[in-house]
Amino acid sequence: MANEFATSVDMGLQLTKRIYYGKNPPKPLVMEKKSSEINNLPTAPMVYAVVRDPSMVDNPDIPSYQPYVYGRCDPPALIPLDMQGIAMEVDCYMDTAFVTVNGTWRVHCIASSRYCDCRIAVPMGEQGSVLGVEIETPSRSYSTLLIESNDTKDAGLVANAKDGFLLNRRIYTLKVPQVAGGSILSVKVSWSQKLLYQDGQFSLNIPFSFPWYVNPIAKLLCKKERIRLNVNSGMGKEILCGSCSHPLKETRRVVGSLGFLYESEIRAWSMDDFSFSYKVRPLPVHSSEILGSVLLNRVSMLDVDQREMFCFNLYPPTVNAMKVFRKEVVYVVDISASMQGRPLENVKSALLAALSKLSPADTFNVIAFNGKSLLFSSSLEPSGKESIGKATQWIDQNFVAEGGTDISLPLNQAIEMLSKNGDSIPLVFLITDGSVGDEREICEALRGRLMKRGLNAPRISTFGIGLYCNHYFLQMLAQIGRGYYDAAYDLDSISSRLERLLNGTSSVILADLKIEALESLDSFELYPCYLPDLLSSRPLIVSGRFIGTCPGSVKVSGTLADLSSFVVDVKVQKAKDFPLERVFARRQIETITANAWFSENNQLEEMVAKLSLQIGVPSEYTNLVLVENLKEKQTSKLETVDEKASDQLNVKKIIYLRALGVGFGNLKATADNLPVEAAEPKLHETSEMVFAAASNLCGKLCDFCCCMCFIQFCSRVSDRCAVTLAQLCTALACFECISFCCEVCGECG
């Protein structure tokens, strides 16, 4: 669908040549194109006019009276609207950022007497999740509302909703119906995203690079750009700032918290993404210690879960002062027919890069699977130059996409292959784009086997490709295996995300972690269920719930790479201006959802829905809807509004939107070996069918009118002939109307 979107934008840019700006128009502010602009996908919050009829494209202030344009745009063109103002507010808490963008756009490309739909597109950063949208037009206002899926009166409307979806799972797009040419749209969008961690510092990146063509073509237009940034480390220690893309001015500094502001009148909107990095004083450049903290947060009376909430974080040294565990690695790769083409090529690229980075002491193996499994070797091979060369050749020969999908056999083969001694960390990486019918059985069998082996139990990390695999099965498998999970939903991100998972999760420095004091509390629950190992490449940040009194400090123990024991006292402190329930809502919801799927527990599903509604984070059991409100017209003292008209203004229209969850896999699509891109929603799925049917109907009605003219001629010859022909034409017209209505109803649900 990304190509469809880009094609529509390219067509829209071509249509803007019709806009007339007067005899001496100001020159547009054209700047050098960035590589990200070439494909015309949004790299910052954008609004587009949806144009089906090219004759409506005109300057609403200066009509050009151009010749009428025949035909329609198929698919509809997307014309980027002029942006009038932009402001962004960012709140960072540990590894999570909450972003709110307020912007105004003008429908500068549609004649003042015409109306068009407007499409909002909001690209989000790392693991972005939309939280809400508010829209203001001159005549209507819209806002998203989160509802429980089971409470919907008409479930068919939710199931058949076509709008409000994620493009490549990172660009949220939504359509605003019928906006007048020349009017102003105000849009407010909120989402959450993750910060990446590297070399002892957190880094934030938010798409904020606006293309040159959103700058209004006007001689006198004051453009103001505003960014407010708040940072709270949650550790109560001094924050050290790193790099920043925009000239921020510090406005507030207290221990553990910083505030910044950037506000400026500018000639052109920002052409750089907003980036910022920071580190905490206990983690200086030369720190060689493992440090951590525990934050407590007292729950409110309205909280669905009345247990106390905590956050536990453990940071690796910022220098490579600690020994990394020797690794035994088995890569289990899906080569079913659905992986054909770019998916398998990107997986091969990431896998070969990971093999090249193994240390000489490590051992490895590769298992390729479809309906059967293929082994590079019957046992683990040393990661020498010769072995990796042979493995590369074997991968080139055997990674051929064909057949079905069977995960159980190769996964069991990988686990049995790994040794049961304690001088190395056994790692399994499962990479797949499909789902299978025995997923719960796989999880149940592995849980029993892995829990008995302790340090020798393989760490299972999983990577899902596309929307046909069951991502909650993969998350549950990673939780049971004390590993990590990641996913790629578009072809372009497979290689980079998979390589990051393979390399980042291979550097274990502290294994078999335990939080002794917390685990002895009543009703203790951890998200994720089991503590994974601490890696040298990222901090370990988990949350949980408990009942009881937490001590002032807790002991955290584990095993180092030299097999010696490690114990550290971690201070417990109350969270100050740190909304734990909001920061960890998404990972808590995902963990409980995976457990609800695994145990088939309806009570856990209900808990997820309640948490989702309480905190405002979408889930598998809740849906966003768009609520439309009509604005009251201004009336003079002599004018009155009758009660009936007033009641009509207060009636709210609900537009159902697509579910934003990833679902629980698609067995049929996996069996049919459908490619990854087949799961992408269609950008113009609804409207084009309706307008095609309407166009067909208009053609038939024109034929009907011609027939009636012919009847008038026949009536001069025979009255009976005229009556018969009139009845026949009327029946045909009615039949076409009924067919049109059926097509529309079928598409709209």
Side-chain angles (χ1 to χ4, degrees), residues 502-542:
L502 297 179
N503 295 331
T505 57
S506 298
S507 55
V508 179
I509 59 174
L510 186 62
D512 276 357
L513 286 171
K514 293 181 181 179
I515 314 173
E516 297 174 4
L518 291 181
E519 292 177 358
S520 62
L521 294 170
D522 295 332
S523 191
F524 176 80
E525 188 173 3
L526 198 63
Y527 312 115
C529 303
Y530 307 102
L531 272 176
D533 300 324
L534 178 63
L535 310 174
S536 64
S537 59
R538 66 171 77 172
L540 175 62
I541 301 176
V542 297

